[in-house]
Amino acid sequence: MCWRTFTEKGQTVDEQLQSLCNHIKAFYQEPEMKLYEFVKTYGISQAEEGLFMGLCLMNLPAIAVKTISEVYEKDFWELWGDVRDAVYGTRRTFPMQPADDPARPIPTAKFLGRCGDDMIYFWQEGGDIHFSDELEGWFSDLKKRYDEIMEEPFSVENPIRWILELMGYAQEEYYHIFAFTEFFEESFAHLSDRNYLALWKLYEEMLYDPNMEEAGKVIFAPDAPKYEKKEHHYLSHFEPRRQLLRTWCFMGSEKRENLARVTLRRYMALVANVELRKKVFGF
């Protein structure tokens, strides 16, 4: 990564260097602050985000300063002397479990910091995952609409292409929304089965629902134009067709977990969990 892209701020080289050193020192002086919070609070640009992701993952400030010194052709020890005292002995890591206090088993939802409604894929009859009344009501609404679709005369001329296009649209318009491998392969093995096609039809309605599109657009930069879609783009790799508001790993959870993305991901988890799918849809 070329740190000279910091000139987008209108800074001189010396100002860029000082800004980087100040941000690195601040990063270690705020060990309890989450990474995305730090990026937002200190106005870290997209050009700088990779540096702080590396610091968060590796906790090697000297390596970061060495990289900066090489890019700007500055003396490492001079730059390190400005940073060393602030970062020395400070670690941004999780506390370790004492050796004499072995880890105790905890429910998966608690370990991941999620509620039962986010654990749809792992649900089993008689297990310790319980859903809210709101989610149970959503399941009932889905079943009602599914039954209506099954009663309607519909056909799909090319189901493989149709399913791939839906997956591509989900990635382009909502980002990081994928089908579970098991359900994807199961669908391809039952391309003439209206039960599976109805589930994808229901998914299509969600994807193109104006309310869902409105809720999902918060992850994109305001008024960002859509990039031109290449033919068979969905067959190669999925990318958003608009500029994201921030680099994905720095996007705040309140935007990443917007209503649209949560709904679509939960639906994909529901149809992939065969046991729960049978309970909700009957097959």
Side-chain angles (χ1 to χ4, degrees):
M1 179 178 293
C2 180
W3 306 110
R4 294 190 187 280
T5 54
F6 296 161
T7 54
E8 67 189 27
K9 291 184 174 182
Q11 297 174 323
T12 65
V13 171
D14 290 339
E15 288 173 340
Q16 293 171 36
L17 281 169
Q18 190 59 55
S19 176
L20 273 171
C21 292
N22 289 340
H23 281 155
I24 291 175
K25 288 187 287 186
F27 184 70
Y28 281 90
Q29 290 167 353
E30 300 282 1
E32 302 301 323
M33 184 179 291
K34 296 183 183 299
L35 186 56
Y36 76 88
E37 294 175 340
F38 174 82
V39 167
K40 182 177 180 181
T41 300
Y42 285 87
I44 304 299
S45 70
Q46 289 190 347
E48 298 171 279
E49 286 178 353
L51 170 66
F52 292 96
M53 171 58 76
L55 285 176
C56 186
L57 294 176
M58 297 184 296
N59 195 36
L60 297 173
I63 299 299
V65 173
K66 176 62 175 175
T67 301
I68 294 170
S69 70
E70 291 177 350
V71 171
Y72 285 98
E73 299 178 348
K74 294 289 185 178
D75 180 65
F76 164 77
W77 293 108
E78 179 182 347
L79 296 179
W80 180 241
D82 185 37
V83 173
R84 178 183 54 203
D85 292 342
V87 305
Y88 182 75
T90 306
R91 296 185 61 84
R92 294 177 62 92
T93 58
F94 296 104
M96 300 297 291
Q97 187 79 10
D100 58 350
D101 185 15
R104 302 175 180 83
I106 61 174
T108 303
K110 183 177 181 179
F111 174 74
L112 297 176
R114 315 300 295 186
C115 65
D117 290 0
D118 293 324
M119 305 295 292
I120 293 175
Y121 182 72
F122 303 99
W123 180 91
Q124 292 180 318
E125 188 72 57
D128 60 356
I129 295 177
H130 305 285
F131 300 138
S132 67
D133 292 340
E134 181 181 4
L135 191 71
E136 294 285 0
W138 183 58
F139 288 163
S140 298
D141 293 339
L142 289 175
K143 178 58 165 64
K144 179 180 178 181
R145 179 55 190 149
Y146 167 81
D147 290 339
E148 293 173 351
I149 293 174
M150 288 295 291
E151 294 176 359
E152 299 170 355
F154 78 92
S155 61
V156 180
E157 182 176 347
N158 189 332
I160 293 179
R161 184 182 183 90
W162 176 59
I163 290 173
L164 289 175
E165 286 180 338
L166 292 179
M167 293 173 61
Y169 187 83
Q171 173 66 359
E172 293 169 350
E173 300 297 332
Y174 298 95
Y175 203 49
H176 283 339
I177 304 294
F178 304 110
F180 285 81
T181 301
E182 299 91 335
F183 180 65
F184 179 78
E185 295 178 345
E186 192 178 356
S187 296
F188 271 43
H190 299 85
L191 291 174
S192 60
D193 191 328
R194 280 173 53 86
N195 290 290
Y196 288 89
L197 295 180
L199 292 182
W200 284 103
K201 185 71 174 176
L202 185 53
Y203 186 56
E204 180 182 48
E205 292 181 357
M206 292 183 193
L207 290 175
Y208 289 95
D209 186 311
N211 293 326
M212 291 281 281
E213 292 179 333
E214 181 66 23
K217 72 179 185 180
V218 297
I219 64 173
F220 299 108
D223 303 321
K226 290 188 178 182
Y227 307 130
E228 183 178 354
K229 181 179 175 65
K230 297 180 180 179
E231 186 177 5
H232 304 312
H233 173 70
Y234 59 87
L235 291 177
S236 54
H237 61 281
F238 300 141
E239 293 294 339
R241 290 185 63 192
R242 283 174 285 177
Q243 179 185 348
L244 292 172
L245 190 65
R246 292 202 71 87
T247 302
W248 188 246
C249 57
F250 293 98
M251 188 89 68
S253 59
E254 74 281 358
K255 288 184 170 58
R256 284 190 301 180
E257 299 189 16
N258 60 70
L259 177 62
R261 295 193 71 259
V262 168
T263 300
L264 295 172
R265 292 174 64 190
R266 287 179 176 178
Y267 182 76
M268 283 287 98
L270 166 60
V271 297
N273 184 329
V274 177
E275 186 176 359
L276 183 58
R277 188 182 73 211
K278 289 181 179 179
K279 180 178 180 181
V280 175
F281 296 106
F283 79 99

